[in-house]
Amino acid sequence: MPIESIIGGWVATGLTLFIFSFLYKDNPLFKVAENLYVGVSVGYTIVKTFDTVIVHLIWKPIVETGEWSLLIPVAIGTLMLTRYVPKAAWISRYAFAFIVGVGSGLAIPRTISSFILKQIEDTVRPILLLVPGEGVTFTWSLLDPTSSLNTIIILIGVSAVLFYFFFSVEHSGPGKVVARTGILFLMIAFGAAFGYTVMARMSLLIGRLTDLIEFSDPSYGMPTLWLLGLTILTLVVMSRRSSGKQTKEEE
Amino acid sequence: MIFLRRQLPLLITLIAGLVFAAQYYVPHPASEQMLTSVTKWLQIISGFALVLGVSSLFHVHAAKIRRKEAGWGYSFILYVGMLGTIAVGLWSNGKEAVDGASTAFGWVYNYMMVPLQGTMFAILAFFIASAAYRSFRARSREAAVLLIAAVIVMMGRVPLGEHLIPISGDLSQWILNVLNASVRRAILIGVSLGTVALSIKIIFGIERSYLGGGKE
Amino acid sequence: MKRETLNVKRGKGDKSCLAALLIAALLSLFDSPVSAETALLPLQDVRAFDTPSDGGGSLTILWSSAPYDSAIMKYQILLGEETALSDPAAMKVVAEFPADQHYVHDSKWPWWTRPTTRDQHQFTLRNGKGIALKDWTAYTIAVAAVLNDDRVIARPVQATPQPNWVNWNQMNNFLLMLLFGGIVFYAIGTARKREIFLRRIPGLDAVDEAIGRATELGKPILYLTGAHDMTDPSTIAAAVILGRVAKRAAGYETDLLVPHRDPITMAVCHEITKQAYLEAGKPDLFKDDANFFITSDQFSYTAAVDGIMLRKKPATNFFMGYYFAEALLLTETGASTGAIQIAGTDADHQLPFFVTTCDYTLIGEELFAASAYLSREPVQVGTLRGQDIGKAFILGVLGVGTILATLGVILDAQWPHFFLDIFKDTK
Amino acid sequence: MTFTERMLKIDRRIIFLVIGLCTLLPLLYPVGFPIRISPEVRGVYDHIELLPEGSVFLLSLDFDPASKPELQPQSIALLHHAFRKNLRVVAMTLWVSGTGLADQIVTQVAREMGKENGRDYVFLGWSPGGTAVIINMGQNLYGAFPTDYNGKPTRELPVLHGVNNLRDVNYAVSLGAGNPGVEAWYVFGKDKYKFELGGGCTGVMAPGLYPLLRSGQINGLIGGLRGAAEYEELIGQKGHAIAGMDAQSATHMAIIVLVIMCNLFYLSLRTAARQGQSGA
């Protein structure tokens, strides 16, 4: 096995265990891993931003194909740095104004298209279906999301939840019934989504544990076992110390 | 001066907003080209914004180290991690791998970023269980409904659950495809209306708190 | 089974297609194989033109359906670059398909841009797959009907592809934008004139209580603005609410911690917080490092915020804006420190976790409503009223649309589509 | 504080421990609950099963370490199956960040099955260009990959004898965690060069790929850990995925039991409180 893989195995195992130790309680090992993680991720972002933005989006297009128009966003970006000069800080507003303006403009038609029209289109379906040989029929199948019964249920659900989000209408009288139906639908959906997500999250844990099992292999020098011992030892020593401190404080 | 400080930013927002809302309805290649450019522009601008963020981070932790605040050693570790990654990254030209062989930067990614990220993510497995224990209590009718839906779907997702209650698989499919879908649709429609309304207000300068400084 | 019902649902066009199939089958019964002379009549009404409402590089061809259209027969599309072509048979075949496919009613044209009746054949030639159509260049196009070895080619027609400036297919989208914009402005106007009723939002009543509790305990308030940048409405809403929270916190002289993931959001929130302290009359209490940046990476940010929660033990945590998987990592840690937690998000996939782990959650649109509720400014309240009218409108569309779509099936009619097409996402 | 009250405010670290053990133990000692085989996974299995010995099987491992938990078991199961059927295995990746992982997986399974690099299988590694690599391979495989991952010239490898481009591939499977992945292999590969294509993906992506499956653009789909477990079941080799599914079953059941327990405690506490009230 190459030496960098072995060192990598030790580092990865150590960091994994240090992060997991946070489940027990906050401790120096977790703090080390946490701060190292923040540091590495910021470093990683800086390098990646440098590589994509400065090298690939600015330098190369300007030098190689002469896209001088790219100096405009560079200028706007620089405006943002005026924040460091208190007197000129207001200039940075131009950059924000541009970003937010573009963002809002882009959002309007696209939101209408994919989140309003598309959702209406999917909800508005005929309640009765034309079944060949049987003529116009009402289909009862629950498992087919396009069946008549499900079309009605979806329509009720969408309407009731939409009504729940009316803010300028008091939820009283018949409105109360509709709003309550809406809440029930909301709760079922939240419960279902929660239950559905459990599997994906467990898969992640399984992935981490599989890695740890792999790194307990002698070819890596069994880092999992050694480092697990070290982590537990640290936690024990630490809790001894803090309980010692506490008794002192209490005295 | 007041024009430069207050009206001009609003004018910029108005023009940028109207132009890029209109862009959607124009299929001409020139309009597509404009969209591609501005996407690139936004990426470049946010690259510059990173300077703001990193300087804030630098400042906070430098202050901690200078004042030797409690835990300043961790700030030091943060610096080492950051500078080390930058050094390794620049040395590897920002590439994780060259011709399929991993570089030193790739090593940092594979053996530090990935396990750290994966482990932080995996902690969710524990938290989802403790959240379920803490909050899935039949305190009210709504809470009971939520709890039952969650249990049915959890049953229906795994072999053992399907084995114990065979109908749970189909039932959870129905809950997800029909009930859950209808709720998500309604939430999306509501949120989208809010999004469109807010965007319109921003473009026409009615909502300007994003510029900082509230009403002015 | 499902597919069959879908096909039949399409209505008249398919009926005629069925009829054509029947005729073809009958023909083949009496005289098989179909002789080329009788079956393959020249194609009727062949038209070719630049595909409307597109970015260029595309041509549309239309021709009438023939009584003998069936799966055993094929149509070919022939393309020639020269405009003065002597022999159509020498043109390149760019597409071939069974004759019972590619009808106008299969395409996505809404009624206001549909160039012809629904039962005509339609084919759109696009760049790619061995075809290179240059804009502003005239092309010769022919359609051929093929049965076994026989081929009948219609008289070639000419067309020039070009890019267009308006996508007329999306005019319904544009009209809805105007309509909704109008509603919002109208509602704001009304709100300026008279008071508009707003129902209670339980999560918001808790905001004051939560800030008060932090003051009592002498602990800070933690406020997160979410994962998206300043172009996202949920972040803007979060920033607006931050302004109100900061103002109250300044009034109570409680510390505020706002860790950020996006530098621009940080800069904007810095300004907003500063202004809030100024308005509360406590500019001297404002701390420059109340808003600080951690990292833009999802989970290292989460690790750091979890660390802050465990070490500074804030009495109140606010989670406003858009979140991803980190939501539960934040709220569960917050719950373990005993903080009051108030969330508000339009991230539908994370709502289940906020609802189960936070004390109060602003669900979806309630996040946008929150700033109106807190400020009671006519502009904000009016917008909310406008959104309500918009929702009522959509509810109406859903009801009327379902009735019309059902009627369309029962009566086997096309006229409901005049209404239904308006609310389709036509691209 | 009564027992029930104490149980309701249980230290959450005990729950963590339960979840940790419910995951770890099945991974170490798999039980193998019977798994229902779905037709989409069977589609891939049946196709490989029917391939004659010596057919060319292309496996593209289009994922990076982040999707390892779900896609590594799929790759291992597929490789086991292909090696057992004595197919000629051509492995590659379109994700540069997944190159090292892909190499590790292929080498490890080949070693277990006693296969020789270059004769029975080859790992081509990664080549720049994203989806363009697929098109290049469709025209000339040796142009897209002049050498394999270890730097050996591909033209001289016995395993690639008679293989010039993608048309000579009998079956290709893309295990994709995003783009480029299964969809790209269909659009730029199968659609043009007419080889049979199967797919595998993460659990999150599976619903999005069902349209491709229904229209026959891919002849099978292995979805997430569950799909991998089904495949392991089909080839009768209990691996990480089956163990993983056991762990899934165990943790799901553990959470359900915890929730039921907590509700029992809660209800008993509430009835006790009500009785106390009415008694007073």
Side-chain angles (χ1 to χ4, degrees):
Chain A
M1 181 148 318
I3 183 77
E4 68 263 23
S5 297
I6 295 178
I7 302 175
W10 278 80
V11 171
T13 312
L15 294 175
T16 304
L17 290 171
F18 291 176
I19 294 276
F20 273 142
S21 74
F22 149 76
L23 289 170
Y24 179 72
K25 70 194 285 192
D26 190 23
N27 67 77
L29 293 181
F30 172 68
K31 286 185 204 170
V32 168
E34 173 206 319
N35 284 282
L36 193 64
Y37 188 11
V38 173
V40 171
S41 81
V42 172
Y44 188 81
T45 318
I46 292 176
V47 173
K48 277 282 153 195
T49 310
F50 179 79
D51 189 48
T52 47
V53 175
I54 308 277
V55 178
H56 283 100
L57 285 176
I58 304 177
W59 186 251
K60 281 195 177 169
I62 290 184
V63 172
E64 286 171 13
T65 53
E67 273 187 64
W68 292 101
S69 63
L70 288 174
L71 288 180
I72 304 173
V74 171
I76 299 177
T78 328
L79 287 187
M80 220 156 4
L81 305 182
T82 56
R83 290 182 43 78
Y84 294 112
V85 189
K87 280 212 167 156
W90 56 272
I91 298 178
S92 65
R93 283 181 173 190
Y94 293 168
F96 302 151
F98 179 75
I99 295 171
V100 174
V102 173
S104 307
L106 289 178
I108 297 174
R110 285 166 182 79
T111 312
I112 294 180
S113 152
S114 43
F115 296 123
I116 299 183
L117 288 174
K118 188 88 189 110
Q119 304 303 326
I120 294 180
E121 189 183 332
D122 286 350
T123 313
V124 174
R125 288 173 187 282
I127 293 175
L128 297 168
L129 295 177
L130 198 65
V131 180
E134 292 173 36
V136 176
T137 30
F138 188 91
T139 47
W140 292 92
S141 160
L142 276 179
L143 285 176
D144 172 10
T146 57
S147 73
S148 306
L149 183 59
N150 283 334
T151 305
I152 295 180
I153 295 174
I154 289 180
L155 190 64
I156 293 174
V158 174
S159 312
V161 176
L162 261 186
F163 183 81
Y164 170 79
F165 286 119
F166 272 98
F167 298 104
S168 56
V169 178
E170 181 79 274
H171 290 171
S172 60
K176 195 172 175 185
V177 181
V178 182
R180 276 196 77 98
T181 317
I183 296 177
L184 281 186
F185 264 91
L186 276 171
M187 290 302 145
I188 294 176
F190 290 160
F194 193 109
Y196 184 82
T197 319
V198 173
M199 184 164 216
R201 302 299 180 246
M202 291 302 160
S203 294
L204 299 167
L205 178 60
I206 292 171
R208 289 321 299 148
L209 291 185
T210 321
D211 272 10
L212 286 182
I213 294 172
E214 191 186 318
F215 288 137
S216 64
D217 197 73
S219 64
Y220 285 98
M222 294 192 281
T224 305
L225 299 182
W226 288 108
L227 291 167
L228 185 66
L230 175 81
T231 311
I232 293 175
L233 191 74
T234 315
L235 290 177
V236 170
V237 169
M238 202 194 69
S239 69
R240 280 269 173 83
R241 248 203 231 161
S242 68
S243 67
K245 241 190 223 166
Q246 256 176 12
T247 40
K248 251 187 218 162
E249 277 167 14
E250 274 163 26
E251 283 165 6
Chain B
M1 203 56 186
I2 283 182
F3 171 77
L4 284 182
R5 279 188 185 219
R6 290 182 197 166
Q7 269 93 356
L8 190 57
L10 293 179
L11 195 66
I12 292 175
T13 311
L14 177 75
I15 294 170
L18 289 181
V19 166
F20 285 96
Q23 186 278 329
Y24 182 78
Y25 306 102
V26 181
H28 199 278
S31 126
E32 295 295 324
Q33 178 60 41
M34 188 176 76
L35 181 66
T36 335
S37 306
V38 86
T39 327
K40 235 187 260 176
W41 286 21
L42 288 183
Q43 229 178 324
I44 293 176
I45 297 174
S46 63
F48 275 85
L50 191 64
V51 177
L52 295 180
V54 173
S55 74
S56 156
L57 182 83
F58 244 86
H59 174 77
V60 168
H61 289 276
K64 264 193 188 169
I65 296 178
R66 204 174 44 239
R67 290 189 222 128
K68 297 247 162 26
E69 267 177 40
W72 66 273
Y74 299 114
S75 299
F76 188 71
I77 292 178
L78 190 150
Y79 269 121
V80 171
M82 177 164 67
L83 296 176
T85 311
I86 294 176
V88 166
L90 293 182
W91 186 53
S92 312
N93 279 326
K95 307 251 176 312
E96 283 97 342
V98 176
D99 297 332
S102 174
T103 62
F105 192 48
W107 188 92
V108 170
Y109 178 77
N110 282 328
Y111 293 107
M112 295 178 86
M113 280 291 276
V114 172
L116 281 167
Q117 200 176 320
T119 313
M120 221 33 228
F121 208 173
I123 283 187
L124 275 175
F126 297 101
F127 279 7
I128 209 168
S130 70
Y133 187 80
R134 224 163 32 81
S135 48
F136 283 4
R137 285 175 198 178
R139 290 192 193 92
S140 59
R141 200 172 357 148
E142 285 82 26
V145 167
L146 184 138
L147 148 79
I148 293 167
V151 169
I152 292 174
V153 173
M154 272 193 267
M155 277 281 189
R157 293 277 289 159
V158 288
L160 183 59
E162 269 189 303
H163 189 71
L164 293 175
I165 307 175
I167 198 177
S168 62
D170 288 342
L171 196 56
S172 63
Q173 277 304 316
W174 177 72
I175 296 179
L176 286 167
N177 288 340
V178 175
L179 300 184
N180 188 39
S182 69
V183 170
R184 288 184 76 153
R185 221 170 260 176
I187 292 182
L188 273 179
I189 292 177
V191 166
S192 310
L193 285 176
T195 305
V196 175
L198 187 59
S199 302
I200 291 176
K201 282 196 294 176
I202 287 174
I203 292 178
F204 289 100
I206 302 174
E207 174 72 66
R208 53 185 83 159
S209 43
Y210 65 91
L211 287 176
K215 281 171 244 164
E216 280 200 294
Chain C
M1 198 62 193
K2 220 193 285 173
R3 189 149 292 168
E4 275 172 333
T5 49
L6 272 178
N7 272 340
V8 176
K9 213 174 62 181
R10 283 191 197 126
K12 257 186 190 162
D14 264 329
K15 285 244 160 124
S16 64
C17 153
L18 271 179
L21 262 177
L22 269 178
I23 291 171
L26 279 176
L27 275 176
S28 61
L29 261 184
F30 290 117
D31 178 24
S32 61
V34 185
S35 66
E37 292 80 18
T38 52
L40 291 183
L41 304 165
L43 299 160
Q44 298 295 314
D45 309 328
V46 179
R47 283 198 284 157
F49 47 88
D50 165 52
T51 306
S53 305
D54 76 342
S58 168
L59 292 173
T60 296
I61 303 132
L62 296 173
W63 66 98
S64 295
S65 51
Y68 47 71
D69 281 357
S70 72
I72 47 166
M73 218 192 79
K74 287 195 167 62
Y75 281 126
Q76 287 179 339
I77 308 287
L78 300 107
L79 182 75
E81 300 219 358
E82 302 82 30
T83 43
L85 204 81
S86 50
D87 180 21
M91 283 159 66
K92 189 178 159 202
V93 176
V94 286
E96 189 182 67
F97 50 90
D100 58 347
Q101 289 178 10
H102 288 285
Y103 288 97
V104 170
H105 58 72
D106 298 330
S107 72
K108 279 200 127 189
W109 281 321
W111 54 264
W112 60 88
T113 55
R114 197 180 296 141
T116 179
T117 49
R118 289 163 53 90
D119 58 344
Q120 281 214 323
H121 276 292
Q122 170 271 137
F123 191 84
T124 307
L125 276 177
R126 277 196 191 83
N127 263 337
K129 284 188 192 167
I131 312 172
L133 293 173
K134 276 188 229 91
D135 285 336
W136 310 112
T137 310
Y139 289 91
T140 310
I141 290 150
V143 185
V146 182
L147 185 73
N148 300 327
D149 294 334
D150 298 315
R151 188 158 94 148
V152 174
I153 304 178
R155 208 167 57 82
V157 286
Q158 290 184 355
T160 310
Q162 62 187 70
N164 308 109
W165 284 103
V166 180
N167 186 346
W168 293 102
N169 293 330
Q170 289 170 332
M171 277 308 112
N172 57 340
N173 184 316
F174 184 71
L175 284 179
L176 273 184
M177 176 174 76
L178 290 188
L179 175 71
F180 187 56
I183 292 176
V184 169
F185 281 115
Y186 162 77
I188 292 177
T190 329
R192 286 205 167 118
K193 280 180 225 133
R194 62 182 172 86
E195 188 95 340
I196 283 177
F197 167 83
L198 282 190
R199 77 169 164 89
R200 244 182 90 244
I201 301 175
L204 283 175
D205 296 343
V207 169
D208 262 337
E209 179 198 329
I211 299 173
R213 205 184 124 193
T215 315
E216 271 169 40
L217 295 173
K219 285 180 179 171
I221 294 168
L222 183 74
Y223 192 103
L224 308 186
T225 54
H228 277 173
D229 58 12
M230 221 45 217
T231 56
D232 189 75
S234 56
T235 315
I236 296 178
V240 173
I241 301 171
L242 170 66
R244 321 268 177 233
V245 170
K247 201 167 158 186
R248 301 259 160 92
Y252 287 127
E253 303 192 0
T254 304
D255 265 351
L256 189 62
L257 294 170
V258 196
H260 285 281
R261 262 178 84 169
D262 180 73
I264 300 180
T265 314
M266 176 193 76
V268 171
C269 288
H270 181 89
E271 292 296 316
I272 291 178
T273 321
K274 200 170 171 183
Q275 181 70 23
Y277 273 77
L278 206 68
E279 280 172 19
K282 308 253 170 92
D284 47 315
L285 282 179
F286 174 70
K287 288 195 187 111
D288 247 347
D289 54 359
N291 285 274
F292 55 98
F293 176 81
I294 295 179
T295 164
S296 46
D297 175 74
Q298 180 184 15
F299 287 109
S300 49
Y301 172 81
T302 312
V305 174
D306 278 355
I308 294 173
M309 285 181 184
L310 291 172
R311 283 152 223 157
K312 302 218 164 155
K313 298 222 169 11
T316 308
N317 300 335
F318 287 97
F319 309 99
M320 301 287 171
Y322 203 93
Y323 293 85
F324 293 93
E326 70 275 13
L328 186 63
L329 284 173
L330 296 166
T331 55
E332 260 301 285
T333 311
S336 77
T337 63
I340 287 193
Q341 308 202 86
I342 300 176
T345 187
D346 58 341
D348 52 345
H349 45 93
Q350 294 307 321
L351 273 168
F353 305 108
F354 283 120
V355 168
T356 46
T357 52
C358 290
D359 299 277
Y360 299 96
T361 307
L362 303 172
I363 299 168
E365 216 185 336
E366 287 179 338
L367 172 66
F368 301 119
S371 52
Y373 198 85
L374 287 173
S375 68
R376 298 272 170 185
E377 282 168 27
V379 170
Q380 308 278 356
V381 176
T383 315
L384 211 51
R385 178 74 187 163
Q387 278 165 243
D388 276 4
I389 300 175
K391 267 171 288 184
F393 176 74
I394 288 175
L395 272 181
V397 171
L398 291 181
V400 174
T402 307
I403 293 170
L404 286 181
T406 311
L407 277 179
V409 170
I410 297 174
L411 304 175
D412 191 15
Q414 286 307 322
W415 54 265
H417 286 278
F418 280 101
F419 178 81
L420 295 176
D421 275 3
I422 300 177
F423 298 99
K424 277 208 167 110
D425 179 32
T426 44
K427 282 271 156 64
Chain D
M1 207 186 269
T2 62
F3 173 71
T4 41
E5 277 172 7
R6 204 173 297 164
M7 283 311 285
L8 278 177
K9 288 189 182 148
I10 192 171
D11 188 336
R12 56 185 202 147
R13 282 176 288 193
I14 295 172
I15 298 173
F16 296 163
L17 192 67
V18 170
I19 294 298
L21 289 178
C22 283
T23 320
L24 188 62
L25 293 179
L27 285 182
L28 294 174
Y29 313 103
V31 192
F33 290 116
I35 294 170
R36 207 173 60 183
I37 312 287
S38 55
E40 51 268 28
V41 175
R42 192 175 277 285
V44 178
Y45 172 82
D46 285 350
H47 196 90
I48 295 186
E49 196 60 27
L50 290 175
L51 287 176
E53 206 166 290
S55 304
V56 179
F57 173 61
L58 180 95
L59 183 66
S60 189
L61 303 110
D62 307 323
F63 56 92
D64 63 0
S67 311
K68 186 179 163 193
E70 287 176 282
L71 291 176
Q72 187 185 23
Q74 292 186 8
S75 347
I76 293 177
L78 274 167
L79 283 169
H80 267 288
H81 192 198
F83 281 137
R84 195 190 300 164
K85 291 282 303 173
N86 289 323
L87 305 181
R88 290 191 276 161
V89 175
V90 181
M92 56 171 286
T93 178
L94 291 175
W95 285 38
V96 63
S97 44
T99 323
L101 179 62
D103 175 50
Q104 201 185 323
I105 295 170
V106 176
T107 319
Q108 185 194 332
V109 178
R111 201 189 304 140
E112 274 172 37
M113 303 286 288
K115 296 290 175 180
E116 191 188 313
N117 191 357
R119 191 172 57 90
D120 304 312
Y121 77 96
V122 60
F123 179 61
L124 296 174
W126 172 86
S127 177
T131 49
V133 174
I134 305 176
I135 300 171
N136 290 343
M137 288 176 75
Q139 284 150 359
N140 179 7
L141 194 137
Y142 303 107
F145 289 98
T147 60
D148 73 353
Y149 185 65
N150 299 319
K152 281 190 220 143
T154 37
R155 274 186 193 281
E156 293 161 21
L157 296 176
V159 63
L160 289 174
H161 185 74
V163 182
N164 289 316
N165 54 42
L166 286 180
R167 287 179 205 273
D168 302 318
V169 167
N170 299 89
Y171 191 43
V173 173
S174 162
L175 302 177
N179 193 27
V182 183
E183 226 169 333
W185 272 101
Y186 170 71
V187 175
F188 300 99
K190 183 189 171 178
D191 200 26
K192 283 202 177 117
Y193 306 109
K194 313 291 172 208
F195 49 87
E196 198 50 68
L197 179 70
C201 63
T202 56
V204 184
M205 284 179 60
L209 289 175
Y210 268 85
L212 284 183
L213 186 71
R214 260 179 247 133
S215 54
Q217 289 159 320
I218 50 175
N219 75 342
L221 182 68
I222 311 175
L225 192 69
R226 166 96 194 223
E230 289 173 28
Y231 209 95
E232 286 179 2
E233 179 92 10
L234 278 169
I235 59 170
Q237 182 135 22
K238 295 201 165 137
H240 281 318
I242 289 192
M245 280 322 281
D246 287 346
Q248 289 282 10
S249 286
T251 45
H252 276 72
M253 289 306 139
I255 295 179
I256 292 171
V257 169
L258 280 171
V259 167
I260 292 173
M261 257 169 51
C262 126
N263 274 288
L264 288 180
F265 293 135
Y266 177 72
L267 290 178
S268 77
L269 199 70
R270 210 165 63 168
T271 31
R274 270 199 203 138
Q275 274 166 0
Q277 266 178 356
S278 57

